[in-house]
């Protein structure tokens, strides 16, 4: 049976590139494997669409149900992020860079999970270990995935291995200007024209329980804050509406990836607590936090500390 290689739901560039790459590697190793994704090609996010177009790759076909199939998981190992009925599939491999999830199997499987910035960094090493050449177009997508996941090396999740993998993949893909590639991806990802403010707030949004207080944190990664200058009032209105729905605080991180910091929009019952969490002072409805890039590693831990979690 053909192995279907699948990334997580709501796929990002790593989930798509890693699926394509692992399908190539598995096929080269003698298995019959094909990449799939949990999205239709027309619903794929703008960044991944740009990446596939740039390197002349066709988007993988959609998978909606895993029952009865042979599956290799990339970029996740959580049942909640896998295709429906993953418990009724035969999972044969996991290649990932997140905390280990809750997938279990009846048979021994191949697992390669490493604490690095991107699944494609792990895969680059697997190609090397197995002496399989990476096709030029696949190398381009893998390179783009590493730049995306590590925010062009600026994320605290980035490791020396990620940088070394990019150096390898630059040669194979023929991409010289990785900063230029990253900016093209960022522009696609951060395009806000015509998108309703509520959708922008929820594009990358999570609610957290902070000692009994519900705190929502959204993030928009931008090439420049100018991109949202005209819609700040609309975003604020969307945040106020969202807060009115039983929340103590709603924050929106407007992250300037070039300047490496975040303009933090704040709507809160206790704004002084938010100021204290980040050592900032509100000017109107926001303040700048230098170096703040990661919700997971920076914003949430500071809030948890402040709220006594
Ligand atoms: Mn991912
Ligand atoms: Mn990833």
């Amino acid at each position: 049976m053909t192995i279907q290689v699948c990334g997580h739901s709501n796929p990002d560039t790593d989930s798509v590139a890693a699926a394509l790459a692992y399908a190539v590697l598995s096929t080269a190793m003698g298995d019959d494997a094909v990449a799939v994704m949990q999205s239709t090609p027309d619903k794929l996010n703008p960044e991944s669409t740009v990446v596939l177009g740039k390197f002349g790759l066709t988007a993988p076909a959609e998978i909606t149900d895993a029952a009865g199939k042979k599956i290799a998981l990339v970029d996740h190992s959580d049942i909640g992020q896998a295709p429906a009925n993953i418990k009724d599939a035969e999972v044969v491999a996991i290649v990932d860079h997140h905390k280990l999830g809750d997938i279990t199997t009846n048979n021994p499987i191949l697992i390669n999970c490493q604490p690095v910035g991107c699944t494609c960094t792990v895969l680059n090493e697997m190609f090397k270990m197995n002496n399989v050449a990476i096709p030029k177009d696949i190398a381009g997508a893998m390179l783009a995935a590493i730049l995306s996941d590590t925010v062009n090396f600026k994320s605290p999740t980035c490791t020396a291995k990620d940088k070394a993998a990019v150096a390898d993949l630059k040669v194979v893909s023929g991409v010289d200007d990785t900063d230029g590639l990253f900016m093209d991806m960022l522009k696609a990802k951060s395009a806000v024209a015509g998108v309703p403010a509520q959708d922008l707030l929820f594009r990358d949004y999570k609610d957290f329980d902070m000692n009994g207080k519900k705190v929502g944190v959204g993030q928009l990664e931008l090439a420049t804050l100018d991109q949202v200058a005209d819609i700040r009032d609309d975003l604020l209105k969307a945040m106020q509406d969202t807060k009115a729905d039983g929340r103590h605080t709603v924050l929106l991180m407007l992250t300037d990836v070039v300047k490496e910091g975040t303009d933090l929009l704040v709507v809160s019952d206790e704004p002084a607590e938010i100021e204290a969490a980040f050592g900032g002072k509100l000017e109107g409805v926001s303040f700048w936090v230098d170096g703040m890039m990661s919700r997971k590693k920076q914003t949430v831990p500071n809030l948890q500390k402040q709220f006594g979690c």
Side-chain angles (χ1 to χ4, degrees):
M1 197 191 306
T2 301
I3 298 169
Q4 309 206 13
V5 188
C6 186
H8 55 73
S9 54
N10 193 15
D12 55 11
T13 300
D14 189 26
S15 268
V16 176
L20 289 166
Y22 191 67
V24 167
L25 178 63
S26 300
T27 303
M29 306 284 291
D31 280 321
D32 178 19
V34 63
V36 294
M37 64 178 182
Q38 297 187 62
S39 168
T40 54
D42 62 309
K43 290 266 168 63
L44 190 59
N45 75 55
E47 181 198 84
S48 304
T49 304
V50 161
V51 168
L52 291 175
K54 242 184 210 305
F55 298 105
L57 289 160
T58 305
E62 186 187 23
I63 181 171
T64 52
D65 195 319
K69 292 173 179 159
K70 246 187 182 180
I71 304 279
L73 298 176
V74 291
D75 202 29
H76 72 297
S77 63
D78 299 287
I79 292 167
Q81 297 177 29
N85 298 314
I86 191 71
K87 285 178 177 163
D88 302 322
E90 186 191 357
V91 175
V92 297
I94 296 171
V95 182
D96 190 21
H97 68 120
H98 295 89
K99 73 172 184 63
L100 203 54
D102 48 3
I103 293 276
T104 55
T105 65
N106 295 321
N107 295 305
I109 70 166
L110 183 153
I111 296 189
N112 192 346
C113 298
Q114 298 187 28
V116 293
C118 183
T119 309
C120 286
T121 298
V122 181
L123 282 166
N124 180 60
E125 186 179 84
M126 291 175 78
F127 273 94
K128 278 177 150 175
M129 264 168 36
N130 292 295
N131 269 318
V132 176
I134 306 175
K136 187 175 178 181
D137 50 358
I138 299 286
M142 292 170 71
L143 169 63
I146 300 172
L147 297 177
S148 175
D149 266 13
T150 66
V151 195
N152 204 17
F153 305 143
K154 287 171 184 165
S155 167
T157 58
C158 184
T159 68
K161 264 194 172 183
D162 299 299
K163 293 180 183 171
V166 163
D168 287 347
L169 293 165
K170 275 176 78 166
V171 176
V172 183
S173 67
V175 172
D176 230 20
D177 181 11
T178 52
D179 287 341
L181 172 60
F182 177 74
M183 285 310 285
D184 287 348
M185 291 158 59
L186 186 60
K187 276 182 202 148
K189 174 155 102 175
S190 64
V192 297
V195 185
Q198 193 77 18
D199 292 4
L200 290 173
L201 174 61
F202 284 115
R203 188 182 266 176
D204 181 8
Y205 174 95
K206 281 181 182 155
D207 277 314
F208 301 91
D209 178 72
M210 298 281 170
N211 221 348
K213 294 166 180 168
K214 192 170 175 184
V215 175
V217 186
Q219 182 174 28
L220 287 174
E221 288 177 344
L222 303 165
T224 161
L225 290 178
D226 294 345
Q227 286 179 279
V228 292
D230 293 341
I231 57 166
R232 286 175 70 95
D233 289 347
D234 299 336
L235 289 169
L236 199 65
K237 173 78 170 55
M239 292 169 68
Q240 284 158 347
D241 291 347
T242 303
K243 180 184 172 298
D245 194 17
R247 291 176 179 80
H248 175 276
T249 297
V250 174
L251 304 176
L252 180 57
M253 301 169 62
L254 301 173
T255 300
D256 186 321
V257 171
V258 178
K259 291 200 177 123
E260 297 186 46
T262 289
D263 190 29
L264 190 68
L265 280 174
V266 179
V267 177
S268 177
D269 288 338
E270 296 175 281
E273 295 286 319
I274 308 304
E275 289 180 328
F278 303 103
K281 185 90 196 108
L282 278 166
E283 292 169 31
V285 293
S286 74
F287 58 94
W288 175 260
V289 186
D290 218 32
M292 186 201 271
M293 306 283 286
S294 167
R295 177 173 54 200
K296 177 170 65 177
K297 285 211 161 183
Q298 296 167 305
T299 312
V300 171
N302 278 313
L303 288 169
Q304 284 173 325
K305 210 191 270 172
Q306 186 64 31
F307 282 88
C309 301

